[in-house]
Amino acid sequence: MNTTKFMQLALDEAKKSGEDLPIGCVIVKNGEIIASAHNEKELMGNPTAHAEMLCIKKASKMLGTRMNECEMYVTLEPCPMCMWAIIEARVGKLFFGAYDSLYGGSTVLNLKDLANSKIEIKGGILEEECSALIKNYFTELRNKNEK
Amino acid sequence: MNTTKFMQLALDEAKKSGEDLPIGCVIVKNGEIIASAHNEKELMGNPTAHAEMLCIKKASKMLGTRMNECEMYVTLEPCPMCMWAIIEARVGKLFFGAYDSLYGGSTVLNLKDLANSKIEIKGGILEEECSALIKNYFTELRNKNEK
């Protein structure tokens, strides 16, 4: 399976997040990346500018509102906003890296069942690398604020 | 209170939705409307282009990611995607018209408590008019499809 390959590409995308919490996302169709995005919430000053939302917006320009044949790879478990957007976009398969034990839209909340969605979801892909990226971000932020 | 006045303006906005499900939204600060939007999901071919998301995006251009002093008026109870976005945007007060008994982000799911948010929420403002607008849309759609 190519899941680790695409998650690695989502990780590469996450590293472009600059001052924002590093989250990356790619959408794949027929083995090809058709959209990629990273978190730009603070950069854009827009609370909805999560990686997944930006990625769906890009992909929708090509595919409209039906992404059944697509796979999404995202480095952190989507929040409820993004998870519902992924379901609304009819994404076929969702792979995520780190789990979000506070606000995870597929583990803390089961939005898939609420929506009666058929999306296939698998978490924990390159989990360690994905978690480390986020932890390092917060460590650096803390160190910066303590200076 | 001006809640019915502003909900009426959200209703007027909803009527601009064209072929899309008629949902309208306004964001108010200090008694002035600072952003308004209607559902453009099908028009834009973007599954995330709900009225609330577009309205938050517009307001964030002025206010960034902190809308504590704002009130949002929306004709239908926000879905989980929009409800989480409203919470992320730190909107102070949310007023909605019709209840969504299937996917309502504040009644079916209690996202406010999950997020430990202080947002004040009140539903049922001009409920009858807001519900009628949506019901009429589906009646017309059915009639059109039966022709």
Side-chain angles (χ1 to χ4, degrees):
Chain A
M1 277 290 282
N2 281 324
T3 50
T4 55
K5 183 186 96 180
F6 287 120
M7 190 59 79
Q8 186 56 57
L9 293 169
L11 267 167
D12 294 345
E13 186 65 33
K15 289 169 189 164
K16 301 177 187 168
S17 301
E19 303 284 312
D20 269 291
L21 183 67
I23 317 281
C25 179
V26 299
I27 295 179
V28 173
K29 188 175 176 182
N30 300 329
E32 301 279 345
I33 290 183
I34 60 161
S36 58
H38 51 269
N39 182 20
E40 300 191 30
K41 183 178 160 181
E42 299 301 330
L43 179 71
M44 293 174 67
N46 176 357
T48 72
H50 290 195
E52 302 95 312
M53 303 299 279
L54 299 175
C55 210
I56 286 174
K57 191 176 174 184
K58 284 181 188 174
S60 74
K61 287 189 178 149
M62 283 169 276
L63 302 173
T65 58
R66 294 287 181 276
M67 301 183 192
N68 312 56
E69 292 167 20
C70 294
E71 296 162 11
M72 176 186 276
Y73 296 82
V74 56
T75 55
L76 177 65
E77 182 180 357
C79 76
M81 173 179 74
C82 293
M83 192 64 223
W84 199 258
I86 292 163
I87 290 168
E88 286 251 350
R90 309 286 193 277
V91 172
K93 293 180 188 177
L94 168 68
F95 300 96
F96 65 84
Y99 287 86
D100 183 343
S101 61
L102 285 176
Y103 307 122
S106 70
T107 56
V108 179
L109 290 176
N110 184 344
L111 294 182
K112 174 186 164 164
D113 281 2
L114 176 66
N116 203 16
S117 158
K118 288 178 181 145
I119 187 170
E120 292 175 39
I121 304 175
K122 188 164 162 48
I125 316 290
L126 296 184
E127 184 178 2
E128 215 168 304
E129 294 88 329
C130 292
S131 293
L133 193 65
I134 293 170
K135 278 181 199 154
N136 290 344
Y137 169 86
F138 284 115
T139 305
E140 282 177 27
L141 197 67
R142 212 164 35 238
N143 290 343
K144 208 187 282 177
N145 289 339
E146 279 172 6
K147 271 182 191 160
Chain B
M1 276 291 280
N2 281 325
T3 50
T4 55
K5 182 185 98 179
F6 286 121
M7 190 58 78
Q8 186 57 57
L9 294 169
L11 266 167
D12 294 345
E13 187 65 34
K15 290 170 190 164
K16 300 177 188 168
S17 301
E19 304 283 311
D20 269 291
L21 183 67
I23 317 280
C25 179
V26 299
I27 295 180
V28 174
K29 188 174 177 183
N30 299 329
E32 302 278 345
I33 290 183
I34 59 160
S36 58
H38 52 270
N39 182 21
E40 299 192 28
K41 182 178 160 180
E42 299 301 330
L43 179 71
M44 292 175 66
N46 176 356
T48 72
H50 289 194
E52 301 95 313
M53 304 298 280
L54 300 175
C55 209
I56 286 173
K57 191 175 174 186
K58 284 181 188 175
S60 74
K61 289 192 175 147
M62 282 168 277
L63 302 173
T65 59
R66 293 288 181 274
M67 302 182 191
N68 312 56
E69 292 169 18
C70 294
E71 298 161 9
M72 175 185 276
Y73 296 81
V74 56
T75 56
L76 178 65
E77 182 181 358
C79 75
M81 172 180 74
C82 293
M83 193 63 223
W84 200 258
I86 292 162
I87 290 167
E88 287 252 348
R90 309 284 194 277
V91 172
K93 293 181 187 176
L94 167 68
F95 299 95
F96 65 84
Y99 287 86
D100 184 342
S101 61
L102 285 177
Y103 308 123
S106 70
T107 56
V108 179
L109 291 176
N110 185 344
L111 295 181
K112 173 186 165 165
D113 280 3
L114 175 67
N116 203 16
S117 158
K118 287 179 181 145
I119 187 170
E120 292 176 38
I121 304 175
K122 189 166 162 45
I125 316 290
L126 296 184
E127 184 179 0
E128 213 167 305
E129 293 89 330
C130 291
S131 293
L133 193 65
I134 293 169
K135 279 180 199 158
N136 290 344
Y137 170 86
F138 283 116
T139 304
E140 282 177 26
L141 198 67
R142 210 160 40 234
N143 290 344
K144 208 188 281 178
N145 289 339
E146 281 172 4
K147 270 180 191 161

